Amino acid sequence: MAGKAPHVIVIGAGILGASIAWHLSGRARVTVLEVKSAPAKGVTGHSYGWVGTGSRIPSEQPASFALEQHALLEFPLLEALLGPLPVAAQGALIWLDDQQQTCSMLAEQQAAGVNMVAVGREAVHQLQPGLVDVPEMALWAPDDFAVEPDVLTCRLLSAAQDKGAVVRGDTRVLAVEMRGERVIGVRTTQGVVGADIVVLANAMGAQALASPLGINLPIYEEAAVLLRFEAAGVALRHLLCADALELRPGLGGGLVSAADLPLDGEAGLAELGRDSVRAISDLFGLQGDIVLQSIKAVARPKTRDGTPLRTFLPKVEGLYAAVAHPGVILAPLLGRLVSEDILGL
């Protein structure tokens, strides 16, 4: 391929696949294949979109925390090239179950270099009017923000298409096509698409394509829940992480919340929805103003050791896998690094 721009197929039009395609476009021929009819309709479309480390305890996963801090540096560069990002909220208010835990979190965050400060009750009310049950002390992380992941994904793909990339929806990849030990493309429901390099950026779908080649990827699924609410009586300005409730405004209105999957799985979603409506109502002193629009459990892809999977795979020349969580935070950085790996930079 010396002297010739390689043809790279990126499987998956989520946030990571979109970032990889955008970073590669203009320096390689890029085709993005997506099983759904539109981008970001899988895991990405049900991601919460918190960009920052304000809800994390640094000591719980130090390596992952440090990587995410490094990844955050890519967002100003991304904005400089793409224009204003689809930011739904700027700044985060955080408090834990008691003041001691909150103080401990602050100490760890500041020691890690995070821009976070303690604020009193009056300052909390100034930052977020309408709260009725506020502790004496909360944390304020002004640099944290929330993006709408699906909008950002579409922006990345549109910018990639402007540089010549091709994006094809409604295209299920059935298998990786081989000649000897080398990739020559993929077989899809629309026929065979030839390529020099194939990137598996389709979350757990990557395992289904790698397994027939004798490759077991070190990834697994862990479910999370995304909830959306109509909330005419709530004017939420910032990200809020309080009393086990993660809440943010939606870019087009309403509220968005993230939660763990209940212990009884999807059978517990209805109760989780009711509990979340009650928690938001209590937080803002409302009755009957919060309406649950949707609640969806989605399996997120994670790696066994917690670090992103970003590598050419053994045994098969030209096959690359890219799987990571949290995808929204890591995608701009990983997209650049994956493109550098593929182009040999």
Side-chain angles (χ1 to χ4, degrees):
M1 289 187 292
K4 173 187 171 185
H7 182 197
V8 182
I9 288 177
V10 179
I11 303 175
I15 186 72
L16 183 53
S19 180
I20 293 168
W22 178 65
H23 280 89
L24 281 171
S25 296
R27 298 185 291 179
R29 294 170 53 215
V30 178
T31 301
V32 181
L33 302 179
E34 168 57 42
V35 65
K36 298 184 182 296
S37 60
K41 295 299 183 182
V43 177
T44 294
H46 296 91
S47 297
Y48 186 55
W50 188 324
V51 179
T53 58
S55 64
R56 299 278 305 281
I57 306 294
S59 60
E60 290 183 350
Q61 292 182 311
S64 296
F65 190 89
L67 176 62
E68 289 170 31
Q69 283 186 292
H70 182 51
L72 293 174
L73 301 177
E74 296 286 320
F75 281 86
L77 304 175
L78 188 67
E79 187 166 35
L81 293 169
L82 283 185
L85 303 181
V87 174
Q90 180 70 50
L93 277 168
I94 304 119
W95 62 84
L96 304 184
D97 292 338
D98 59 55
Q99 187 167 320
Q100 182 177 354
Q101 291 180 0
T102 303
C103 288
S104 176
M105 181 176 189
L106 175 63
E108 284 201 36
Q109 291 270 353
Q110 290 181 335
V114 176
N115 181 18
M116 179 180 285
V117 296
V119 291
R121 185 175 286 141
E122 182 178 343
V124 172
H125 283 304
Q126 290 176 350
L127 287 164
Q128 181 53 64
L131 296 173
V132 297
D133 188 15
V134 177
E136 291 184 8
M137 188 194 81
L139 308 178
W140 171 240
D143 297 336
D144 284 23
F145 60 97
V147 297
E148 292 294 354
D150 55 345
V151 178
L152 180 56
T153 298
C154 291
R155 289 272 300 282
L156 285 164
L157 288 173
S158 178
Q161 288 173 300
D162 288 343
K163 295 191 289 182
V166 175
V167 180
R168 291 170 52 177
D170 288 321
T171 304
R172 180 180 295 276
V173 177
L174 303 173
V176 176
E177 290 284 293
M178 305 285 296
R179 179 177 294 135
E181 296 183 348
R182 171 154 192 85
V183 165
I184 58 170
V186 295
R187 180 162 39 88
T188 79
T189 50
Q190 310 299 321
V192 173
V193 183
D196 301 304
I197 296 170
V198 172
V199 180
L200 307 179
N202 54 332
M204 290 304 297
Q207 183 63 77
L209 293 173
S211 291
L213 303 175
I215 301 171
N216 183 37
L217 302 179
I219 61 178
Y220 68 101
E221 291 180 318
E222 184 175 286
V225 182
L226 190 77
L227 306 91
R228 294 186 180 274
F229 308 87
E230 291 181 2
V234 176
L236 186 60
R237 297 177 177 177
H238 309 290
L239 286 151
L240 194 63
C241 182
D243 299 330
L245 178 69
E246 287 194 12
L247 194 66
R248 69 166 176 86
L251 187 60
L255 301 175
V256 183
S257 180
D260 294 330
L261 185 70
L263 294 178
D264 52 352
E266 295 201 7
L269 290 182
E271 183 178 356
L272 173 62
R274 290 190 294 269
D275 289 346
S276 299
V277 167
R278 186 162 48 249
I280 297 168
S281 297
D282 290 346
L283 195 60
F284 287 91
L286 301 170
Q287 292 185 358
D289 292 284
I290 311 298
V291 179
L292 179 65
Q293 285 184 308
S294 65
I295 181 168
K296 176 72 173 178
V298 176
R300 303 168 298 178
K302 291 191 172 185
T303 59
R304 299 292 179 191
D305 63 1
T307 60
L309 177 63
R310 174 180 68 86
T311 187
F312 279 104
L313 296 175
K315 305 178 184 177
V316 181
E317 187 179 354
L319 185 62
Y320 193 103
V323 179
H325 176 80
V328 175
I329 293 177
L330 296 176
L333 172 64
L334 294 183
R336 176 172 63 80
L337 295 178
V338 170
S339 72
E340 292 172 358
D341 288 346
I342 289 172
L343 298 172
L345 301 178

